Amino acid sequence: MRAAVRRVAMRLVALVRRDRVDGEAAREIGAHLALIEDDCRRRGMSPAAAARAARLALGGVDQALERHRQARSWPWLEDARHDLRLAGRAAMRAPGATLAAIGTLGVGLGASTAIATLAYAVLLRPLPFGAAPERLVRLVASTPNPVAPDAPLRRVPVALSLEEARDLDAASDAIDGAGLWAPTVLGLSGLDDAGHVGAARVSSTTLSLLEARPLIGRSLDPDDDAGTSGAALLGETAWRRWFGADAAIVGRSIAVHSVLGRRRSQTVQIVGVLPASFTFPAADTGLWLPLPPPAGPEPTRAALLARLAPGTSPAAALDAIGPAVRALRGHGPDVRYELVREQEQLVGPVRPALLVLTATVAVLLLIAAMNVTSLLLARALARAREFSLRAALGASRGRLIRQGLTESLALGIAGGLAGLAVATAGLAAFRRLASPLPRIDLGTTGVGWGATAFPRLDDAGLDGAIVVAALGLALVVGLGTGVAAALRAGRADVGPALRLSGASAAAGGRRGRLLRRGLVVAQVAGALPLLVGAVALGRSLQHLAGTDPGFATTNVLTFQVSLPPAAYPDARLQAFAEALAERLRQRRGVRHAGYANQVPMVALRDTAGGLWTTADARRPFAPDAADARVVSRDYLSALGVGVVAGRGFGPGDGAGQPRVLLVNEALARRQFPGRDPVGLTVYLGRDTTPWSIVGVVADVRQFGLDRAPEPQFFVDVRQWQGGMPLFPTGAYYVVATAGRPERLIPEVRALVHDLDVGAAVFNVATLDAIVASTLTRPRLYAVVIAAFAAVGALLSAIGLYGVLAFLVQERTPEIGVRLALGASRGAVLRLVLGQGVALVAIGLVLGLGAAQALERALTSLLYGVQPGDAATTAAAVALFVAVAAVAVMVPARRATRVDPIAAIRAE
Amino acid sequence: MASGDTSRIALLQGTLDLIVLQALRTMGPLHAYALATRLAQAADERLIVNQGTLYPALVRLEQKGWIKGRWSTTEHGREAKFYGLTASGTRALTRETERWRDLAGLVERLLAEGGR
């Protein structure tokens, strides 16, 4: 055994110190030869005869050396070293072609690696919630929207009390554990305005279902569920950011104030720190508290998180618990329940896009691979003379093939390394593109407050396994692209290539020509679907960006003000807001200044229990209740929202006056079809105070440019006394300016500071920026696919150019003869053009099918663009033809400039 | 090297290795030519066709650490590489000889049975 190990080690030494060992062997064999000769001469032979006899006895010096070489190392490895050196030399001789091949492979492999990394991290990697995260489900309810029956259903979590959840769990075998949770936003008092943190109220069972393991301290106990212990868990990110990762945080008391809901200040004691990987209910949750104790006779209710029993499907579990929930909540049959897996909830919205990206990047990789194959083929033909020479000098066919494969493997590795660099840069660019305004209140990930347009992006990184897989793929692609070229090299014929001149030798035969044209056709066929996808997504984005949101977005500044809660009970909030708005109105360049509980595109909802025509103090919860907006008198004017019927709020609608409200057109259509709502009396939620509708205002796209306007009603802040807290998230101020709104920001800060030194301005953004932020995801998709399409189209155009340039070079003598015999330059031009047009046409026709399939897959990502739209296809074809025209025209024009005399003489 | 490999080439290789080791033990350090001459005399020239075929065996044995080559001069003043048996080579020879005898005996027995 030791001898075997020693032998391997010695072989390695022999490989590394090859030249030295070889010299030593040559010396030994030379000495051996001399000894035999000496002997022969001593036996009376002539020197010449002795020399011959010695060689005969030894069996040839070279043969002995070769035997030595084969025994002392791994001959194939030595050959590979030699091949690599040759490959390096060949690469240096044509640096342009080599760089082009490495770059092409790098882009193809890099894009594939980046997308594969994303797809794995987002879709496949299990959530970091214990041993069986796939069994965790959320219970949501949805009601069809009677105004827009085709609109995606709005899913709302179904709220249960702790006792109800416990009973549900105990009564059903389908469920193995149930917890409650509710997302919120809290302010950490005593910190600056950045102290707003995504938070969650959770039952202790929720944390145990998710197998939360605190870094330090403890999790929440069942004792904490009463909501009176004041225990709280801090997130690792918040802990590092605000408390310098101080381990003494456990046991410390900190003051928090609610930002949503009734404004309350509360002191909590941190009992533990949860790791950054604990991302429930959203990635930016940084504080977990027990559910609050009930405020009245009703118990505290929150959304249900359940763990399915092993082997139970969500549908089966829903059958088991659905009827009980329906009875508990008093929902009608039109309310549909669903148990949504936690993973599905998180990644469901981006799955179609990721699958499309995966498919398109695979096409891109294929195009890149075919492009490099063409390049290698062309190079193999150009090097036909070199290979023929080597074949003539005795290189075996296998050896030549291996040489070709070594070159393509080296190329694959270089391409793979380039690809890793491209992938790293690509992922960074993807992350930048996927970052909307970093604000908790602009969440785009559905339930919970998410601030990224793409879930789980932080998990997506190039780790060891992905690097290995990418390099493996690079080797496969390298080999795949090299095989055709290597086989060609192996077929090197000694005769013809050496006899004929370079250009003629490079003709490569019929089969080679067919192969190269086939590759070009396939590249064109692959580029078309990419372009169709890019055009469709681009048009969709254009439609979205061009959609009229129903309010003025330019020259509008929005911001919020955080006030010390102790100094500002609800009664003083409105006074502060009105004072600030009044001071703003007096500024030069300010056209309107108003405030409201929410501004458009903020992903918060407040229904105040909805708007009804009858009073009902025991009204059940309605998931589709209209949105309530509490606004200042100037708010609708500041946003440019027009009054369609009746009147807007006037100076006479102050406190103590008859209660009036405005509804939007969507609400009028839904709740008062065919009737004029102006003058009707309505009731809000369970409140029995009558309100009268005095006007109808135009619809506004409140929740996204791609979402139809939803029913809303507006209440003047001066008359607001309902059960709904005033400005739950702190008022949003809206200032319409005459000039650039950004210029007003320092003045705003100064004004706020003047009014109260303890107040801080936060969430400052123009309405334009907020609206643009909602387009983050469609823009991301459009940009990525457009990049893929651009690269794919460019590569196939380059492939096309290569084949035609080759054709012109190959047929230069023939063209010369034709021209000499009187053919017109136009005829020559048509000859080359015809070839190019034929290749493009075949490729485009073949690509149409794939393009249609891709468009169907894109359906859910498109807005205002029909899949299979002829305009989209036509635009994509036109785009490609424009690029291809350049690739065709350059060689075609070169053909017309052939000098007949020079061409014929060259042959 | 108790690999149990009984393919023809491995067997032949092993055989040549064994013969070289044995020659070096009885004769002391030898250079390749002397070794070849010695083997030719002992085996009626039936063993090696040409002397170059010795080199793979020498390389193998030296890489295993069973023999060690040293440059020196012959009695006629020529330089040559002399191979001598190492301590582990001596042990290996004993081991391999036993193995060879076992194998040879076994094969002989089997052949004898088959002849009957």
Side-chain angles (χ1 to χ4, degrees), chain B residues 9-75:
Chain B
I9 291 167
L11 192 64
L12 283 175
Q13 266 183 8
T15 316
L16 185 57
D17 291 1
L18 196 59
I19 293 166
V20 169
L21 289 176
Q22 176 62 31
L24 292 181
R25 180 157 72 178
T26 46
M27 305 287 295
L30 291 174
H31 51 70
Y33 176 46
L35 191 59
T37 318
R38 160 84 192 154
L39 294 191
Q41 285 166 357
D44 280 347
E45 319 231 343
R46 280 182 319 192
L47 200 59
I48 12 182
V49 185
N50 61 54
Q51 302 182 9
T53 53
L54 259 185
Y55 282 104
L58 290 174
V59 167
R60 220 161 32 231
L61 291 173
E62 190 171 21
Q63 285 187 337
K64 285 179 182 172
W66 290 353
I67 62 173
K68 174 86 192 130
R70 232 175 241 102
W71 285 94
S72 185
T73 45
T74 65
E75 68 242 54

Side-chain angles (χ1 to χ4, degrees), chain A residues 334-575:
Chain A
D334 58 324
V335 176
R336 256 185 40 208
Y337 291 144
E338 249 180 302
L339 283 174
V340 184
R341 287 190 201 270
E342 192 60 25
Q343 175 121 4
E344 179 62 30
Q345 164 74 33
L346 195 60
V347 307
V350 299
R351 178 179 291 112
L354 260 183
L355 294 180
V356 166
L357 285 180
T358 308
T360 47
V361 88
V363 173
L364 183 67
L365 181 61
L366 277 177
I367 293 179
M370 289 189 288
N371 199 274
V372 172
T373 303
S374 303
L375 199 66
L376 292 184
L377 264 178
R379 216 170 59 167
L381 291 174
R383 286 170 64 193
R385 271 165 76 90
E386 176 199 330
F387 280 111
S388 298
L389 198 64
R390 291 182 55 197
L393 292 179
S396 72
R397 193 185 154 170
R399 193 74 180 64
L400 287 179
I401 290 181
R402 209 165 55 189
Q403 163 73 33
L405 289 183
T406 307
E407 289 189 22
S408 47
L409 270 185
L411 194 67
I413 292 174
L417 291 177
L420 286 180
V422 170
T424 310
L427 279 175
F430 192 93
R431 226 171 253 135
R432 246 193 330 277
L433 277 171
S435 306
L437 287 178
R439 279 170 56 163
I440 288 172
D441 60 339
L442 297 180
T444 47
T445 48
V447 183
W449 320 107
T452 50
F454 214 86
R456 310 191 77 188
L457 215 46
D458 291 339
D459 301 349
L462 291 182
D463 58 20
I466 286 168
V467 168
V468 169
L471 289 180
L473 181 66
L475 287 185
V476 170
V477 172
L479 268 182
T481 54
V483 158
L487 288 181
R488 266 226 64 77
R491 241 189 289 128
D493 216 344
V494 180
L498 285 182
R499 266 198 313 276
L500 294 172
S501 62
S504 311
R510 254 177 71 89
R511 271 171 57 194
R513 206 175 300 149
L514 262 179
L515 177 59
R516 270 173 296 134
R517 285 178 192 185
L519 285 172
V520 166
V521 166
Q523 286 177 62
V524 173
L528 185 66
L530 296 188
L531 280 169
V532 166
V535 170
L537 284 172
R539 286 182 63 204
S540 163
L541 179 63
Q542 202 184 5
H543 266 274
L544 263 180
T547 299
D548 178 13
F551 55 89
T553 62
T554 44
N555 292 347
V556 178
L557 184 71
T558 70
F559 61 92
Q560 289 187 271
V561 177
S562 149
L563 296 167
Y568 285 89
D570 277 8
R572 281 197 63 194
L573 279 179
Q574 197 212 328

